[in-house]
Amino acid sequence: MSIHLSSIIESLLNPNGRFRTLDGIYVVRTDDGEPVMVLGEGTAYFTVVWHDEEYTLQCLLRDDEAQRVALEEVALYTGRIECPYLVPQSFHAQELLVFDTADRPVWVDVTLQRTARGQRLDEWLAHTSERGDAEAVRALVGAVADVAQWLAANDFGHRRISARSVYVTSENGLILTDYRRASRRRSPDDFTTLGSLAAALYAVACQPEIYGEIVRDNLLKTNRLHKLASILADIMEEEKDAAELKELLTAVAQSDSTSEELCHALRCLASTPVRNYRSLGEIAARVGQRGSGEPSAADIAEKYIFMGRMQEGVIRALDGGGWLYIDRHGRQAIPGRFVCVDDFSEGRAAVETEAGHGLIDRDGRFVIEPQHEDVEWDSVHNVAIVTSGGLSGLYSRDGESLTGFIYDHILSGNEGMFPVRCGTKYGYMNRDGRIVIRPQYDDAFGFNKGMARVRSGNRELVIDPSGHRIATIQTPATKKATEMSDDMIAMAVAVAAAATVEMEAENSLRPAYKPTPVC
């Protein structure tokens, strides 16, 4: 399922009755009456006001269970702990009422994050370097070391640290914002990026005028920032009387990403006196690739409203004419413009045109014509779930229909098994489109480690891929069923091993079930 951006905007511009719990919330508008927003990867971010406080409201534009779970975990974590480097975020399930591409009402999950107090790092650096306040910039290196120390001691990964996602407080502390890729697992990239950020701050403190070159070449963006520490270390090779600084910058660039060595190196860098090293002026030539005939990263970024990450040689991008795919030089790589596009995976990408949803290959050819209500590409199983006329079917990667449009709903697959709904009952099909467990359950969830949870009447069951019942799970009536967690799997295995539950086979001798167009 995907939600068109215009449907989200329509709900936010007319919020009465559209929010379950966030009563009184409203979106901030530009002078032209348009909502203040930023587009991310499958996500839209809106500036809103609630209870006289400014927030960022994050809305998912497509059904991504992994991203939803990560957002909920991060929101619970940031809302529970007291950390000076994070902004509390709240997760609101089924909060915003919108209408999908088939004009059906859908409740959408959202997150709400209070706007950080302070000034964005890139803006702060621009003003501070313009004043030539070297000591203020160098002092910020110590603040970076504080953040690195905290990340090394806690299970939190940001994964998008840049000069735009870091705010400087009035006390010259740092706050991390923008948790779109965050999770409850430490990320080596965070430490690499923080090390380069500290090195860049030290370089600007030594020579404030190079900040303009750094900004012009987008060197403080996430995808380029991680290279700066090693580049600065190489530059110091040409500088006399800079052996200790070179050694320190090398330590920052090469330190074990979760070790104390990096934090120690950052502390030492923060206390290193600043000097006007002449070689630092070469940073633009080293990274900006001036004179190569190719546009800089800044030149490319200025052309687009949004640019994604490189996936299979192309990048999703949005400009005034719509969505398209570009190469690393900013040139259009695949013909055509679209209403919406997904990243390529295994040579295929789902796209939306004015006529409907389809699936394209790397040459831009439609292997599934853009005439459907929704197309979800499953690169793991090399099949596409296609919805048309309110019914769903399974297609191969080459556009061959495997089932026809005969199911009321096909859920995302896992371990080669896809939950399907036919009428009011759920069963399972395999990646070839063949029903392997006939529709007989009132609810069904994805397989995990060879087991899946299903509901039959008031009973919660665990079944194997053949439909054999492994266990009957006793759960509180109020607890919402979810996919099998590790705890549930362990419990099911333990129950089965102890023979404390009834064991029976439900489908072992039944003939294969063949669905008909009428469920």
Side-chain angles (χ1 to χ4, degrees):
M1 179 193 70
S2 62
I3 303 297
H4 200 284
L5 179 61
S6 61
S7 300
I8 300 281
I9 293 175
E10 170 65 24
S11 292
L12 293 179
L13 294 179
N14 301 278
N16 290 338
R18 298 295 182 97
F19 287 89
R20 286 190 189 274
T21 63
L22 301 176
D23 295 328
I25 197 170
Y26 65 89
V27 67
V28 176
R29 306 192 190 197
T30 64
D31 293 338
D32 298 329
E34 297 297 323
V36 176
M37 59 167 288
V38 175
L39 279 177
E41 299 178 20
T43 309
Y45 303 84
F46 298 88
T47 301
V48 298
V49 174
W50 189 48
H51 292 171
D52 298 325
E53 294 280 353
E54 187 175 282
Y55 293 82
T56 296
L57 182 76
Q58 177 179 0
C59 305
L60 296 180
L61 300 180
R62 55 177 182 258
D63 192 8
D64 188 332
E65 179 65 14
Q67 186 178 14
R68 189 197 70 79
V69 170
L71 287 173
E72 188 170 11
E73 286 183 348
V74 169
L76 289 172
Y77 182 69
T78 60
R80 183 177 70 248
I81 68 169
E82 292 186 7
C83 173
Y85 314 117
L86 301 179
V87 182
Q89 186 181 60
S90 57
F91 181 84
H92 302 264
Q94 303 290 290
E95 175 66 30
L96 177 63
L97 178 64
V98 301
F99 292 87
D100 66 10
T101 52
D103 206 31
R104 294 171 298 202
V106 177
W107 288 97
V108 176
D109 302 332
V110 304
T111 62
L112 197 65
Q113 184 182 77
R114 191 187 301 272
T115 300
R117 304 296 186 187
Q119 190 174 18
R120 212 170 66 186
L121 177 56
D122 56 347
E123 297 172 349
W124 182 92
L125 268 177
H127 297 148
T128 309
S129 59
E130 185 177 349
R131 297 197 311 267
D133 192 346
E135 284 305 314
V137 177
R138 189 184 66 163
L140 219 55
V141 177
V144 174
D146 292 338
V147 174
Q149 188 77 50
W150 184 86
L151 287 172
N154 291 273
D155 292 326
F156 180 85
H158 186 280
R159 293 176 171 79
R160 198 178 172 83
I161 296 174
S162 72
R164 289 175 172 266
S165 64
V166 176
Y167 276 66
V168 183
T169 69
S170 57
E171 298 82 17
N172 272 11
L174 296 181
I175 298 176
L176 303 179
T177 66
D178 186 1
Y179 304 151
R180 70 184 76 178
R181 293 183 189 166
S183 74
R184 291 300 317 284
R185 293 179 297 277
R186 268 175 273 176
S187 169
D189 290 342
D190 285 350
F191 299 93
T192 304
T193 304
L194 285 173
S196 280
L197 180 59
L201 289 171
Y202 179 80
V204 172
C206 290
Q207 199 175 124
E209 58 270 24
I210 71 171
Y211 179 67
E213 297 292 337
I214 290 176
V215 170
R216 185 163 61 186
D217 282 307
N218 271 353
L219 303 190
L220 296 185
K221 290 186 69 175
T222 305
N223 60 343
R224 307 195 80 183
L225 181 57
H226 68 281
K227 301 176 181 178
L228 266 180
S230 58
I231 290 171
L232 289 169
D234 290 341
I235 288 175
M236 286 297 105
E237 287 278 8
E238 304 169 11
E239 194 72 37
K240 294 181 180 180
D241 303 323
E244 290 185 7
L245 178 59
K246 177 188 177 298
E247 184 178 347
L248 193 58
L249 288 171
T250 302
V252 169
Q254 298 179 354
S255 290
D256 181 3
S257 60
T258 58
S259 71
E260 290 297 318
E261 281 81 0
L262 174 63
C263 298
H264 176 71
L266 295 183
R267 299 285 183 202
C268 293
L269 188 62
S271 61
T272 301
V274 298
R275 287 174 46 192
N276 189 359
Y277 295 102
R278 189 171 58 181
S279 300
L280 289 175
E282 298 180 10
I283 190 168
R286 292 289 185 97
V287 187
Q289 298 179 346
R290 297 265 192 277
S292 65
E294 297 293 349
S296 70
D299 296 331
I300 297 173
E302 286 178 359
K303 294 172 55 179
Y304 299 102
I305 300 170
F306 169 79
M307 287 175 56
R309 293 174 293 175
M310 179 76 73
Q311 292 286 110
E312 300 193 359
V314 295
I315 304 167
R316 295 187 306 126
L318 174 67
D319 63 12
W323 287 89
L324 69 161
Y325 293 97
I326 62 175
D327 61 20
R328 64 186 181 89
H329 303 300
R331 298 185 293 254
Q332 185 165 356
I334 293 176
R337 287 179 177 269
F338 307 92
V339 174
C340 192
V341 298
D342 286 344
D343 284 321
F344 270 89
S345 182
E346 297 296 328
R348 298 288 185 268
V351 299
E352 180 185 358
T353 70
E354 295 293 343
H357 293 254
L359 189 72
I360 62 173
D361 62 17
R362 275 288 280 107
D363 294 323
R365 294 188 296 260
F366 279 98
V367 294
I368 297 178
E369 292 298 322
Q371 58 190 18
H372 305 286
E373 294 168 13
D374 193 28
V375 172
E376 179 184 346
W377 169 238
D378 183 341
S379 61
V380 175
H381 299 101
N382 261 298
V383 295
I385 300 173
V386 182
T387 301
S388 191
L391 296 174
S392 297
L394 204 65
Y395 276 69
S396 73
R397 66 175 284 113
D398 297 321
E400 176 190 358
S401 176
L402 301 176
T403 64
F405 296 107
I406 58 177
Y407 298 103
D408 291 285
H409 193 34
I410 301 176
L411 284 71
S412 297
N414 197 31
E415 299 184 0
M417 300 285 280
F418 294 78
V420 298
R421 179 167 63 85
C422 195
T424 61
K425 297 297 182 181
Y426 286 84
Y428 292 86
M429 72 164 59
N430 63 17
R431 70 185 70 191
D432 297 324
R434 182 174 63 86
I435 288 291
V436 292
I437 300 176
R438 67 181 181 84
Q440 58 189 290
Y441 305 110
D442 296 310
D443 212 345
F445 304 91
F447 271 83
N448 184 6
K449 298 181 181 178
M451 287 178 276
R453 191 176 186 183
V454 297
R455 182 171 61 84
S456 181
N458 59 2
R459 294 185 302 167
E460 301 284 348
L461 311 173
V462 179
I463 62 172
D464 67 14
S466 298
H468 299 115
R469 187 193 308 172
I470 296 174
T472 300
I473 304 263
Q474 299 298 325
T475 58
T478 57
K479 184 175 181 180
K480 182 180 178 180
T482 60
E483 289 192 6
M484 288 288 292
S485 66
D486 288 341
D487 288 344
M488 296 300 295
I489 291 172
M491 181 172 69
V493 171
V495 168
T500 58
V501 295
E502 177 185 5
M503 303 287 291
E504 65 181 46
E506 294 190 347
N507 292 316
S508 57
L509 300 177
R510 291 178 178 170
Y513 175 76
K514 185 176 182 180
T516 60
V518 179
C519 294

